[in-house]
Amino acid sequence: EVQLVESGGGLVQPGGSLRLSCAASGSTLDSYFLYWVRQAPGKGLEWVSVINALDGDTYYADSVKGRFAMSRDVAKNTLYLQMNRLKFEDTAVYYCAADPAFRFLVTLPPRPSDFRYWGQGTQVTVSS
């Protein structure tokens, strides 16, 4: 059983930056696809990004491409999301998730059942 714990959320002004972390325990995630998804207030889940733990390939939703960067520290078994040039519309609860299958943009919107493991989420609020 894998446990995922997100951290790093908070309040930031437009144009600012935050780095989210997702610490995994219980097992390594070497054979998983690792995801960030988000849910804005009053809206459904939205894909943010995915990384293939085997080769490090990353993919991003158009809404965050060029502003967000996903990475992984294998030694720490931790996933990161560096968020730059934040916008009001980035306000959401951000979840990390893991699944053996590549599901990014396969289902629209993403569903909790798409992932074997979920974190509890971390709130990001972009406000002036």
Side-chain angles (χ1 to χ4, degrees):
E1 186 74 13
V2 173
Q3 293 79 43
L4 302 174
V5 179
E6 301 95 334
S7 61
L11 175 64
V12 63
Q13 292 186 336
S17 298
L18 279 176
R19 189 177 79 156
L20 305 183
S21 300
C22 174
S25 61
S27 179
T28 62
L29 298 173
D30 293 345
S31 60
Y32 284 79
F33 291 91
L34 309 174
Y35 301 87
W36 286 101
V37 297
R38 67 186 181 185
Q39 187 166 25
K43 296 188 177 181
L45 290 172
E46 179 188 10
W47 294 105
V48 175
S49 60
V50 60
I51 187 168
N52 183 343
L54 280 176
D55 58 19
D57 282 352
T58 54
Y59 302 88
Y60 300 92
D62 288 344
S63 58
V64 306
K65 199 173 294 182
R67 299 188 298 120
F68 289 12
M70 191 173 182
S71 61
R72 180 179 173 228
D73 187 322
V74 175
K76 295 182 178 179
N77 210 21
T78 299
L79 186 66
Y80 300 101
L81 184 68
Q82 178 66 43
M83 305 186 297
N84 300 322
R85 291 185 282 134
L86 282 160
K87 303 177 181 181
F88 292 118
E89 52 265 39
D90 294 319
T91 294
V93 178
Y94 285 71
Y95 299 92
C96 65
D99 194 83
F102 182 84
R103 301 183 183 278
F104 189 67
L105 299 180
V106 173
T107 55
L108 290 171
R111 306 162 301 190
S113 59
D114 286 337
F115 311 105
R116 182 170 294 181
Y117 304 112
W118 273 91
Q120 85 290 350
T122 186
Q123 175 71 49
V124 171
T125 302
V126 183
S127 176
S128 54

